[in-house]
Amino acid sequence: MQTMTTYENVLTELNQKVLTITVNRPDKLNALNAKTIEELHEALIEAENDKEVRSVIITGAGEKSFVAGADIAEFANYNIEQGKLLSATGHFKLFNFIENFSKPIIAAVNGFALGGGLELAMACHIRVASENAKMGLPETSLGVIPGYGGTQRLAQLVGKGKAFEMITTADMMNAADACKWGLVNYVVPLPELLQKCAEIAAKISLRSPIAVKTAIKVINAGFNNKFNGYDVEIEEFGKMFGTSDFKEGVRAFLEKRKPSFNGN
Ligand code: COA
């Protein structure tokens, strides 16, 4: 296992091409303060630059909470400008950053995922929840609205009607219902959560890194009204034919062997 940067509020562990990032403020239920967002950003940049890392798992420390939201104490006295900056910085450094990351990021939702915590999980590409997980966007109970992409991504995942209900009532959803509504892909007992995520990650590690990166880009393009997803798909599909991963993947199939991708 190689040495990685040490952070104050974030733990990182690289194991079999999968970087697990743990938000580590259990006494505050892993609430996201500015320092934690900055450290997550830095850990992700490190993951981006490390060719050994093929996917990332994000989880929360302890058995009670994934992330219980943005740190309410930190923004309690913010004014309008500071509020806007808080949201914009979060989008830029963490939430959009994760969504557009070149390697798949899996949220291992191990308890409360509220407000910024659910927004963090929703920015990830894949979500797996433990049976004890509770998810919601309770911001309207604090006199505010979701500011880290929740108004947009919740509607994309559960549909507009359920998103209206969840955000206006501030109700939490349990893990079974979250799976029913498509908010998470799987629900497993808490002790099996990281193993389930590792199994998904292990499959990703077998695939072509450049094809996986391109697939993330094209899927996201379809949800970005600046682009026509189909046009982006045609363009990116064509480019794949110029990669050595494509040549290797096809050659391996024809030679009836497993491919060995180099990501180029
Ligand atoms: N921001 C800052 N601190 C938070 C926090 C948040 N979002 N969520 C929890 N904490 C802190 C609590 O203040 C408490 O700290 P303290 O021990 O120093 O007082 C500690 O974490 C434990 O939380 P507590 O509320 O005592 O646990 P609980 O089991 O009674 O309740 C929750 C759990 C998740 C229901 C409750 O903590 C909660 O509602 N948190 C806020 C969720 C929220 O509104 N998130 C959206 C923010 S925009």
Side-chain angles (χ1 to χ4, degrees), residues 27-29 31 64 68-73 75 112 114-116 138-139 142 172:
D27 54 329
K28 295 291 175 194
L29 302 186
K64 186 171 171 183
D71 191 316
I72 299 169
F75 67 62
F112 288 115
L114 301 175
E139 285 87 346
L142 294 168
M172 289 187 210

Side-chain angles (χ1 to χ4, degrees), residues 91 119 122 137 146 148-157 163 167:
H91 277 266
E119 289 171 305
M122 292 193 297
L137 294 180
Y148 286 150
T151 58
Q152 308 304 301
R153 292 193 183 101
L154 185 63
Q156 286 169 10
L157 289 165
I167 293 173

